Amino acid sequence: MAVHKPEVDDTLSRLHKQHAKDKENDRVETGSFPVVGRKPKRVSLDANRSRARVITNIFIVVLCALLGYGYVIQLNNTRSTYETMSEEELTRLISETSNQVQLQEQRRNELQAQLNSLQDAADKQQEAQRIAQQNEETSGILSGRLPAEGEGVTISISHGSIEAVEASTMFSLIEELRNAGAEVIAINNVRVITQTYIADGENGLICDDVELSSPYVIKAIGDPQNLQNAVNIAGGVGSRLKVKFGAEVTVNASDRVRIDEVAEVPQYQYAKTVE
Amino acid sequence: MAAVLGLIIGVVVGIFVRPDIPVFLQPYLPIMVVAALDALLGAARAYFQRSFSDKVFVISFFTNVITATLLVVLGNQLGVGSQLQTAVIVVLGIRIFSNVSAIRRFIFRS
């Protein structure tokens, strides 16, 4: 034991010394900062080590290849999305879609109704326009505002050889023509309308402030046969003109009598339309 | 290096070989891909931190993928599949972002 003791002492004291030296070294600042050091390269002396590294590298390659493979597969796989959906998702999708379909149909119906009403309105408007145009034409012809043409007769009455033709006879001639269904009448260059008057003047007849000179040419649009009959009827106006006034009366029926004379539209001062 | 090589190989193989994925696997493939991506980025981060370990990478790769898939399977069985899928994707996305930012810090500091 005694032999060993100094050896133990020696070891202990050496450890102590070493410890103290280490402490001192630790306290000394070297000015360097702690750095994560690169792991010391192990010397791969044994073949086991390097083989393991190769194997792990292969592992890494395989795993990354799996990742890339899966990624590309998934990229190509997106078209079959419905197959991968769960039941709930599919039902939700269906209900959403049908809901949307319903909404769209509702909207379509609304729009259809709107379209129909608009079309109705357009039709009505068109009808109203047509009627208005018709009215305009008929009233235009009636009031003498528009020129007219059609089947009719042309009556020419020469100056009376016995005495001048009287206004009343002329007026009754016009009345006869009207009764026979004449639609438009003109004397010389005066359009006969509802307000037209005929009066006796010094040098013949005065019709609507216009002096008429013989021969009087009366154009009337209507059924030619009826008009001819109305003038030429026995004991009628035609024979009175011939007998009483000694005037020559010729009646020509024509398919196309054109009346270009128009009358001024009177401004109504008192009469108002009733709404 | 090996990782990039592996990715390229996988993409090329995936482009040229197009197998039919079994139907039961189809809903889980995207989750798997995202989980694997997360594992890969985690490995890259570890590489930059010089604490990369092959075994840890391989194990984390498989555990990530399997855990994510199992979570979604469980969610599907419980009837909250889509929500759980979203949760997994969100968590993995957050991890991917943090890994990427750590890698970025390593790259731009040195």
Side-chain angles (χ1 to χ4, degrees):
Chain A
M1 288 298 266
V3 183
H4 285 287
K5 192 132 193 193
E7 211 175 312
V8 172
D9 275 350
D10 194 27
T11 315
L12 269 177
S13 66
R14 218 171 61 210
L15 279 173
H16 268 297
K17 271 185 196 162
Q18 182 66 43
H19 186 67
K21 223 192 260 178
D22 282 351
K23 281 267 177 187
E24 200 180 353
N25 278 343
D26 279 352
R27 274 197 294 275
V28 170
E29 287 199 8
T30 58
S32 62
F33 296 97
V35 181
V36 180
R38 187 182 286 271
K39 273 188 181 173
K41 273 202 171 171
R42 291 193 195 95
V43 191
S44 58
L45 282 177
D46 48 346
N48 249 357
R49 189 82 214 159
S50 63
R51 213 175 66 193
R53 282 193 65 181
V54 168
I55 288 172
T56 46
N57 266 345
I58 289 170
F59 252 118
I60 292 168
V61 169
V62 168
L63 292 183
C64 290
L66 269 179
L67 171 58
Y69 185 64
Y71 170 69
V72 173
I73 295 292
Q74 184 56 31
L75 275 191
N76 294 333
N77 198 29
T78 43
R79 59 177 166 276
S80 59
T81 44
Y82 288 118
E83 289 172 24
T84 65
M85 279 186 177
S86 68
E87 214 169 314
E88 300 158 43
E89 278 178 82
L90 287 173
T91 47
R92 187 174 50 76
L93 207 65
I94 285 175
S95 67
E96 268 178 16
T97 312
S98 60
N99 208 358
Q100 219 159 6
V101 166
Q102 251 172 353
L103 278 177
Q104 297 290 349
E105 248 165 34
Q106 204 178 333
R107 178 115 181 88
R108 190 185 69 99
N109 286 343
E110 279 172 19
L111 286 174
Q112 188 71 47
Q114 220 167 348
L115 181 69
N116 283 346
S117 67
L118 281 174
Q119 242 162 9
D120 279 0
D123 283 354
K124 266 181 202 159
Q125 185 129 21
Q126 218 169 5
E127 184 68 16
Q129 202 174 1
R130 198 179 62 79
I131 290 172
Q133 202 172 359
Q134 217 174 12
N135 279 348
E136 196 200 348
E137 274 175 24
T138 45
S139 69
I141 289 173
L142 196 68
S143 67
R145 199 155 39 76
L146 297 175
E149 70 173 356
E151 282 183 278
V153 293
T154 308
I155 306 160
S156 71
I157 301 162
S158 69
H159 193 71
S161 55
I162 301 171
E163 60 177 306
V165 176
E166 277 179 0
S168 60
T169 314
M170 206 52 132
F171 193 73
S172 52
L173 173 64
I174 288 167
E175 285 303 314
E176 285 294 334
L177 289 174
R178 275 185 180 152
N179 286 344
E183 287 164 359
V184 183
I185 303 170
I187 304 175
N188 283 13
N189 52 4
V190 178
R191 178 77 168 262
V192 176
I193 55 171
T194 47
Q195 281 100 338
T196 303
Y197 67 88
I198 297 175
D200 292 314
E202 290 172 6
N203 308 323
L205 297 175
I206 294 174
C207 181
D208 282 0
D209 295 342
V210 178
E211 283 200 6
L212 303 179
S213 55
S214 57
Y216 308 113
V217 178
I218 299 171
K219 290 179 282 186
I221 293 175
D223 182 28
Q225 197 59 47
N226 284 353
L227 295 177
Q228 251 175 328
N229 291 342
V231 178
N232 292 335
I233 192 167
V237 188
S239 58
R240 183 135 51 99
L241 280 167
K242 283 174 196 160
V243 172
K244 190 176 174 190
F245 302 103
E248 272 180 42
V249 179
T250 51
V251 181
N252 292 322
S254 167
D255 280 345
R256 195 162 164 279
V257 174
R258 190 184 168 92
I259 297 178
D260 286 323
E261 292 81 14
V262 292
E264 293 275 321
V265 177
Q267 291 292 326
Y268 292 100
Q269 195 176 349
Y270 303 106
K272 295 266 191 312
T273 50
V274 178
E275 290 293 324
Chain B
M1 201 59 210
V4 175
L5 190 71
L7 273 180
I8 291 169
I9 290 173
V11 169
V12 169
V13 170
I15 285 171
F16 285 110
V17 183
R18 289 186 182 172
D20 280 336
I21 306 287
V23 174
F24 69 91
L25 205 62
Q26 274 183 0
Y28 309 119
L29 194 59
I31 292 283
M32 286 172 161
V33 169
V34 174
L37 201 64
D38 173 51
L40 191 67
L41 282 168
R45 179 191 185 173
Y47 177 77
F48 278 106
Q49 285 175 335
R50 308 204 189 292
S51 62
F52 176 70
S53 157
D54 324 327
K55 281 176 210 154
V56 170
F57 169 57
V58 172
I59 291 169
S60 81
F61 190 97
F62 281 115
T63 45
N64 254 9
V65 169
I66 291 168
T67 311
T69 312
L70 279 181
L71 258 180
V72 178
V73 170
L74 193 70
N76 274 346
Q77 280 172 353
L78 292 179
V80 287
S82 57
Q83 288 94 321
L84 211 50
Q85 196 166 355
T86 312
V88 169
I89 292 282
V90 166
V91 169
L92 289 177
I94 289 169
R95 283 182 49 142
I96 286 171
F97 268 110
S98 65
N99 281 341
V100 167
S101 68
I103 290 169
R104 170 173 44 81
R105 257 180 260 127
F106 272 105
I107 287 173
F108 284 111
R109 193 199 285 165
S110 55

